[in-house]
């Protein structure tokens, strides 16, 4: 329903964006609503419960389709593979209240200009706006374009001139009022979800509803002991889940709480500057930034003055960033694309901290509000946490199939029960009870509690290792990881950079390296002056702050920093300028100091920064610092040494970070603002190279070696330089010395030439060997020595990744199969890369330490944060130990938890089927198990086993294969089916054999020897000896003993040890429990205690028959153990079967690996391809749902 739609009834919301949705228009129908209300009453609440889980059904039942313009309800469906439905009511915003405030009328000039979405949304003449709120974002109905559009942001088409002209003087009070009503408050509201709401949501889970049904039935049958046990276990399970969700809610609320009440100064067009609360801000407001240490409550574009901002919330690194004002240009080009430099250098993002605001000629630092509320950078981060992409882990889908199979089995049992008891002319009430009993026997109500127990134990073990988890269900997913992405800086390497040395340059080429380790000061000269002044450091409260690289460089000069006071008089130098001076101990420095007049800040797009300085008692100079290749291109060719490339390669291949420095003298004394960047950055003189070292963390190499030996792919995603990243990959062992790296460079379409991609091998110089080279980066189904020798890795930058995604999408999967180093990646590109890996059916883990990794941490199947900041809120796992040792720990625990879940599913299935088979056999005789017999099996045996079986910890070694990821896989199915058939056969043999015994009699309820006459029980006087003749029979006794002891046997057989869990014998509690349970059962079997037999409704049988029962159980145990160990757990046998059957994994990455292994032309080395060449275009080469893996892991 809903597929055959009128054109006007269906549209796309957020087209082309990550949160794209389909939207359908509906109108409520009175008659339908009445019928649904009646249905809800007569179904005793079942219908509303169904509608709760199926929102689309709710809309289809209550409403009729209509065009979106007339809709009062909209149905939303995500366009991803999950097709998740939700519905929203269309609400009205009335502007008529403003009529009395300032006389707003339909023809008022403020709402006449239909250039802006806000004005297009106002319906005239009644001055109303239709809106919906989806995932915290408000959308209004655009009457002109007849579609819902996002509100709360300035339009992207605005040019810089338009922003200066329209918003440069602020908004009038009337405009602010209109915008406040339509856009809503500037708040990031994350309410702490009340416990009762979380509780209701959890309790409405279908399985808990089934438990409620079971408990009610058991109370009716006076089976209250186990009913109470299930209630207690379920209550603990629910409480645990609710506590976790509540903790997340509180944590997120605390993160954003302070955002909503920041005092701000806003300049109005008529009202002037006034103090407001930040929640009253609207897009287009003119913010006046005053003072230091100001939290940004919104996204704003700087139009006057400059700011130093701490963007730690976005980048993960608390490095001050200088923001420059948006220049006013005559062009009508949108302001974001008017310059080659990144537009973000003009934007102050919400959640970041303005450390310092520097006024320009106007005397004020002014910024125009761009986005408010959840539209902001911080709002987007919070929304990604509130509305994560659903996780479609196959284990959970298989669990539903597993339960449906049990329901199907129960249905067959119900039909059988009805037939047997109706033919036996039993009372109707008894027939219904017995039939319903079958459902509670076949579908184990204790399953959720047992599974939750396993997750709780795993969570506790992780906590002991300093790994905290806010999404416990993801622990199982950790067991399937086969690719882990790592951030570099702060994750694989140490946070800071150490200054190793400087290589000066003169007319004859490079000179000897000046090492700072010797403690010898760098001699005075332009190079020393450049190091002292070419930086973006600031002096705040007497402390020097800024980029660690700049800080190390400045500290190496031993100079000091100060702010020029009012008494400072030097031509062209403004008051409050930054001045660097040689320290008092420095000798032979001919200048008193250097004043920094103007900065052209560093930009990753431009890869350089430049400063204009004034020497005290000297002239003006220009200094530039940046990527060596870029700096060299701005220098006079004759000043760049001929050995420049080779010298640079010497250091970059050893993993050093290399920065080049250059300078020139300025002859002109004109004001610094008169200079353009192009004029300043020309004809420079090359000064030399600054060498910095980024050391690996001690734990990095052994951890990566452990992962690689376990055939888990490791990938580096970093914002750092490509060459440095390649070297770190080499040094860390991510790429071994025997493997080659192929550098991929892709360039956008320029002029007449189409987009191009080139491949070249990176020649590496041999350094210290890195231990064991036997690694498996190229995971194949069978890795041969020849394949290992041919292994290679691709390395590329974020720019190349973007071009490949746009113009060479058919090559992307081929590149990703062997892509290992991804450098200069933006936060968005990190998320995209993780998603692309998921499309290839990898189970992806992401380990990072900063908020710039938040998107990738959230997108990955498993995100591991090494930070306690925002990243830890976005990430399911947070490690208190700031290194990657947590990754193998997590994978080991994940594998153990996954195997435990499988053991529990299998055990619960067998326990249910054992009881089910036994009860159905007894039903044939219109008999059953008594309440105490059920209670002993359910509580004393199964519940205790369910609680203790999960206690086994993870195996300490990572093996080079993963546990099965699916319940519906041949080994698991074979194991369950074989054991069910074996148990069925044993029960049937016991049931039939007992009836053929010479001592068997329907009249006599005991067959003990003459010595045990006191145990003789006759049916003629059941009340006198306290037995219940409805249950006591030889069949009942035989079936109960067989079933009860079989439950213990199955628990031992299904409790797996190596290679994913500790051996079973190390789980002392579990082993002791099995011994005690078996001992109790054998005691009851052989004890001959009349009161005990009466209590359990058992009858006495000859000792020989009891021995027969033990023989049957022993045979069952031996056969089951042999089959389980020799066939089910025999991985080599399953590999042979796969090979004989010609089975190949259907995972996308396996398919591509096989194709590429047979392609002699791959990889193309030293070649260039163009997007207009055949086979290199953007054809769709693969399409597979994210978060799925079709691989059958055996």
């Amino acid at each position: 329903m809903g597929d055959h739609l009128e054109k006007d009834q269906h549209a796309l919301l957020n087209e082309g964006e990550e949160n794209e949705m389909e939207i359908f228009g509906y109108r409520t129908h009175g008659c339908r609503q009445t019928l649904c209300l009646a249905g809800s009453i007569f179904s005793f609440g079942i219908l509303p419960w169904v509608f709760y889980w199926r929102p689309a059904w709710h809309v289809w039942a209550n409403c009729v389709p209509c065009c979106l313009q007339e809709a009062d309800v909209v149905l939303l469906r995500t366009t991803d593979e999950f097709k998740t439905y939700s519905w929203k009511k269309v609400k009205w915003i009335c502007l008529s209240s403003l009529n009395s405030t300032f006389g707003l009328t339909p023809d008022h000039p403020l709402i006449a200009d239909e250039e802006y979405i806000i004005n297009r949304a106002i319906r005239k003449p009644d001055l109303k706006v239709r809106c919906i709120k989806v995932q915290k974002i408000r959308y209004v109905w655009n009457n002109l374009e007849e579609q819902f559009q996002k509100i709360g942001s300035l339009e992207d088409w605005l040019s810089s001139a338009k922003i200066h002209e329209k918003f440069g003087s602020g908004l009038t009070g009337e405009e602010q009022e209109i915008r406040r009503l339509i856009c809503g408050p500037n708040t990031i509201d994350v309410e702490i979800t009340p416990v009762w709401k979380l509780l209701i949501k959890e309790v409405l889970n279908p399985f808990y509803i089934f438990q409620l049904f079971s408990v009610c039935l058991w109370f009716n049958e006076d089976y209250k002991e186990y009913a109470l046990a299930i209630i207690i276990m379920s209550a603990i399970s629910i409480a645990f889940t609710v506590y976790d969700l509540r903790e997340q809610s509180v944590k997120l609320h605390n993160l954003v709480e302070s955002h909503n009440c920041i005092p701000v100064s806003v300049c109005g067009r008529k009202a002037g500057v006034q103090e407001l609360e930040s929640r009253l801000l609207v897009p287009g407001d003119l913010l006046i930034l005053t003072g230091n240490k100001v939290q940004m409550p919104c996204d704003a574009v700087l139009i006057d003055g400059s700011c130093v901002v701490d963007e730690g919330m976005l980048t993960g690194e608390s490095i001050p960033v200088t923001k420059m004002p948006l220049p006013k240009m005559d062009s009508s080009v949108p302001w974001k694309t008017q310059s080659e430099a990144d537009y973000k250098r003009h934007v102050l993002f919400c959640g970041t901290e303005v450390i310092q605001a520097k006024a320009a000629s106007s005397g004020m630092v002014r910024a125009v509000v761009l986005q408010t509320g959840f539209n902001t950078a911080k709002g987007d981060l919070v929304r990604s946490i509130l509305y994560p992409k659903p996780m479609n882990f196959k284990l959970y889908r298989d669990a539903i199939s597993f339960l449906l199979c049990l329901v199907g089995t129960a249905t067959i049992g119900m039909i059988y029960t009805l037939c047997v008891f109706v033919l036996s002319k039993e009372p109707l009430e008894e027939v219904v009870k017995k039939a319903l009993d079958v459902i509670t026997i076949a579908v184990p109500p204790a399953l959720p509690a047992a599974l939750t127990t396993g997750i709780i134990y795993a969570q506790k073990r992780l906590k002991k290792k300093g790994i905290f988890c806010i999404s416990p269900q993801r622990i199982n997913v950790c067991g399937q990881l086969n690719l882990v992405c790592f951030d570099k800086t702060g994750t694989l390497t140490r946070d800071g950079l150490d200054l190793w040395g400087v290589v000066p340059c003169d007319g004859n080429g490079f000179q000897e390296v000046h090492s700072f380790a010797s403690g010898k000061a760098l001699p005075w000269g332009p190079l020393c002056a450049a190091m002292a002044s070419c930086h973006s450091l600031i002096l705040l409260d007497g402390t020097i702050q800024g980029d660690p690289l700049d800080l190390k460089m400045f500290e190496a000069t031993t100079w000091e920093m100060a702010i020029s006071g009012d008494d400072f008089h030097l031509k062209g130098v403004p008051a409050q300028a930054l001045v660097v001076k040689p320290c008092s101990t420095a000798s032979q420095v001919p200048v008193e100091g250097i004043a920094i007049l103007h900065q052209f800040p560093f930009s990753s797009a431009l890869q350089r920064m430049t400063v204009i300085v004034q020497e005290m008692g000297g002239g003006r100079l220009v200094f530039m610092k940046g990527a060596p290749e870029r700096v060299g291109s701005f220098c006079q060719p004759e000043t760049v040494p001929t050995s420049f490339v080779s010298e640079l390669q010497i250091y970059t291949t050893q993993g050093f970070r290399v920065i080049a420095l250059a300078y020139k003298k300025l002859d002109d004394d004109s004001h610094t603002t008169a200079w353009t960047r192009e004029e300043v950055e020309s004809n420079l003189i090359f000064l030399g190279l600054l060498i910095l070292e980024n050391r690996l963390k001690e734990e990095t190499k052994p951890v990566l070696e452990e992962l690689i030996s376990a055939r888990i792919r490791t990938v580096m995603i970093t914002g750092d330089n490509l060459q440095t990243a390649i070297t770190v990959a080499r040094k860390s062992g991510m790429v071994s010395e025997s493997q080659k790296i192929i550098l991929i460079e892709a360039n956008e379409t320029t002029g007449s030439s189409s987009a191009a991609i080139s491949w070249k091998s990176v020649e590496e110089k041999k350094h210290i060997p890195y231990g064991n080279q036997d690694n498996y980066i190229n995971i194949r189904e069978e890795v041969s020595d020849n394949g290992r020798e041919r292994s290679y890795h691709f390395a590329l930058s974020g720019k190349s990744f973007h071009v490949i995604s746009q113009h060479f999408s058919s090559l992307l999967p081929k590149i990703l199969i062997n892509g290992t180093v991804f450098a200069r990646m933006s936060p968005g590109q990190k998320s995209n890369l993780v998603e692309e890996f998921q499309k290839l059916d990898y189970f992806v883990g992401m380990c990072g330490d900063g908020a710039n990794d938040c998107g990738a941490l959230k997108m990955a199947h498993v995100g591991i944060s090494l930070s306690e900041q925002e990243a830890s809120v976005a990430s399911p796992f947070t490690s208190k130990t700031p290194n990657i040792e947590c990754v193998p720990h997590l994978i080991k625990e994940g594998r153990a938890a996954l195997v435990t879940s499988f053991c529990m599913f299998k055990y619960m299935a067998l326990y249910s089927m054992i009881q089910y088979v036994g009860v159905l056999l007894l039903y044939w005789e219109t008999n059953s198990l008594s309440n105490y017999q059920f209670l002993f099996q359910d509580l004393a045996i199964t519940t205790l086993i369910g609680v203790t079986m999960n206690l086994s910890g993870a195996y300490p070694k990572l093996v080079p294969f993963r546990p099965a990821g699916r319940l519906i896989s041949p080994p698991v199915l074979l194991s369950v089916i074989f054991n069910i058939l074996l148990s069925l056969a044993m029960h049937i043999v016991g049931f039939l054999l007992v009836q053929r015994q010479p001592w068997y009699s329907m009249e006599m309820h005991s067959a003990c020897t003459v010595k045990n006459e006191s145990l003789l029980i006759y049916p003629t006087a059941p009340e006198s000896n306290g037995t219940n003749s409805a249950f006591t029979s030889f069949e009942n006794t035989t079936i109960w003993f067989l079933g009860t002891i079989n439950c213990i046997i199955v628990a031992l057989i299904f409790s797996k040890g190596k290679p994913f869990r500790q051996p079973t014998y190390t789980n002392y509690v579990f082993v002791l429990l099995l011994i005690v349970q078996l001992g109790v059962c054998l005691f009851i079997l052989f004890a001959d205690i009349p009161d005990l037999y009466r209590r359990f409704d058992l009858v006495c049988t000859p000792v020989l028959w009891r021995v027969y029962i033990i023989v049957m159980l022993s045979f069952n145990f031996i056969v089951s153990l042999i089959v389980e160990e020799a066939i089910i757990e025999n991985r080599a046998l399953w590999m042979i079967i796969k090979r004989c059957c010609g089975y190949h994994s259907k995972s996308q990455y396996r398919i591509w690996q096989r194709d590429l292994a047979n392609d002699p032309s791959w990889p193309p080395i030293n070649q260039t391809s163009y997007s207009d060449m055949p086979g290199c275009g953007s054809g769709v080469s693969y399409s597979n749902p994210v978060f799925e893996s079709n691989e059958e892991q055996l």
Side-chain angles (χ1 to χ4, degrees), residues 230-280:
I230 287 292
I231 290 170
I232 291 165
M233 285 193 297
S234 297
I236 292 168
S237 175
I238 290 168
F240 176 74
T241 308
V242 168
Y243 174 78
D244 258 1
L245 292 169
R246 173 79 174 186
E247 281 292 290
Q248 286 182 56
S249 183
V250 170
K251 201 172 182 182
L252 198 53
H253 173 79
N254 293 341
L255 176 72
V256 299
E257 185 184 20
S258 59
H259 166 275
N260 302 325
C261 51
I262 300 169
V264 290
S265 298
V266 176
C267 180
R269 189 168 297 174
K270 295 173 185 175
V273 179
Q274 52 186 335
E275 290 287 321
L276 291 175
E277 279 190 24
S278 58
R279 63 186 180 83
L280 298 172

Side-chain angles (χ1 to χ4, degrees), residues 721-892:
N721 171 276
L722 181 56
Q723 186 59 64
T724 306
I726 288 171
T727 309
V728 169
R730 285 270 189 215
K731 279 190 171 181
S732 63
M734 195 176 276
V735 178
S736 75
E737 286 210 338
S738 62
Q739 297 168 323
K740 63 184 173 190
I741 292 178
I742 298 167
L743 186 65
I744 300 175
E745 286 183 7
N747 297 300
E748 284 275 16
T749 306
T750 51
S752 58
S753 64
S754 56
I757 182 170
S758 61
W759 322 70
K760 58 184 179 187
S761 182
V762 177
E763 293 299 325
E764 294 289 342
K765 297 190 177 182
K766 299 293 177 194
H767 300 295
I768 305 161
Y770 303 115
N772 179 20
Q773 304 299 328
D774 185 22
N775 45 23
Y776 302 86
I777 300 289
N778 283 325
I779 305 170
R780 300 181 190 281
E781 287 172 61
E782 295 172 41
V783 182
S784 65
D785 288 337
N786 181 44
R788 203 175 301 148
E789 285 168 9
R790 291 180 61 236
S791 72
Y792 53 88
H793 300 262
F794 292 128
L796 60 153
S797 67
K799 176 175 145 286
S800 297
F801 176 72
H802 175 73
V803 173
I804 292 164
S805 302
Q806 293 288 314
H807 301 285
F808 300 94
S809 61
S810 59
L811 292 175
L812 188 59
K814 294 182 179 182
I815 292 166
L816 294 182
I817 291 301
N818 287 81
T820 300
V821 179
F822 296 84
R824 295 284 185 221
M825 298 287 279
S826 68
Q829 286 174 329
K830 287 183 179 184
S831 302
N832 292 343
L833 179 61
V834 167
E835 190 171 6
E836 291 300 330
F837 275 128
Q838 288 169 334
K839 287 179 184 176
L840 288 171
D841 289 342
Y842 282 110
F843 275 85
V844 184
M846 173 72 199
C847 184
D849 70 328
N852 60 331
D853 300 315
C854 276
L857 289 168
K858 203 72 190 171
M859 179 61 71
H861 291 106
V862 176
I864 311 152
S865 166
L866 305 183
S867 158
E868 291 187 50
Q869 305 307 313
E870 283 81 357
S872 66
V873 183
S875 172
F877 299 94
T878 302
S879 172
K880 296 292 180 190
T881 312
N883 61 57
I884 63 170
E885 277 183 327
C886 58
V887 175
H889 286 320
L890 199 52
I891 294 172
K892 288 170 195 169

Side-chain angles (χ1 to χ4, degrees), residues 866-922:
L866 305 183
S867 158
E868 291 187 50
Q869 305 307 313
E870 283 81 357
S872 66
V873 183
S875 172
F877 299 94
T878 302
S879 172
K880 296 292 180 190
T881 312
N883 61 57
I884 63 170
E885 277 183 327
C886 58
V887 175
H889 286 320
L890 199 52
I891 294 172
K892 288 170 195 169
E893 282 298 344
R895 288 179 172 186
L898 189 58
V899 170
T900 300
S901 293
F902 275 64
C903 293
M904 195 47 65
F905 269 113
K906 285 168 67 177
Y907 177 70
M908 284 295 176
L910 255 296
Y911 144 68
S912 297
M913 289 299 106
I914 287 167
Q915 215 173 60
Y916 174 81
V917 164
V919 167
L920 292 192
L921 283 170
L922 291 174

Side-chain angles (χ1 to χ4, degrees), residues 676-694:
T676 64
R677 190 163 191 163
E678 289 73 23
E679 290 170 322
V680 171
E681 296 177 335
S682 61
N683 293 317
L684 301 172
I685 297 166
F686 193 79
L687 284 173
L689 301 172
L690 196 66
I691 315 297
L692 298 111
E693 193 176 13
N694 193 195

Side-chain angles (χ1 to χ4, degrees), residues 984-1005:
L984 177 65
M986 182 181 70
H987 278 75
I988 291 172
V989 167
F991 184 79
L992 296 176
L993 207 57
V994 75
Q995 294 175 344
R996 283 164 175 70
Q997 298 305 306
W999 40 263
Y1000 175 83
S1001 168
M1002 293 290 284
E1003 275 73 42
M1004 190 170 70
H1005 282 231

Side-chain angles (χ1 to χ4, degrees), residues 167 211 229 238 405 417 564 640 894 922 1013 1054:
F167 305 107
Q211 281 192 339
I238 290 168
C405 287
T417 305
S564 61
V640 181
L922 291 174
E1013 284 183 27
F1054 282 170

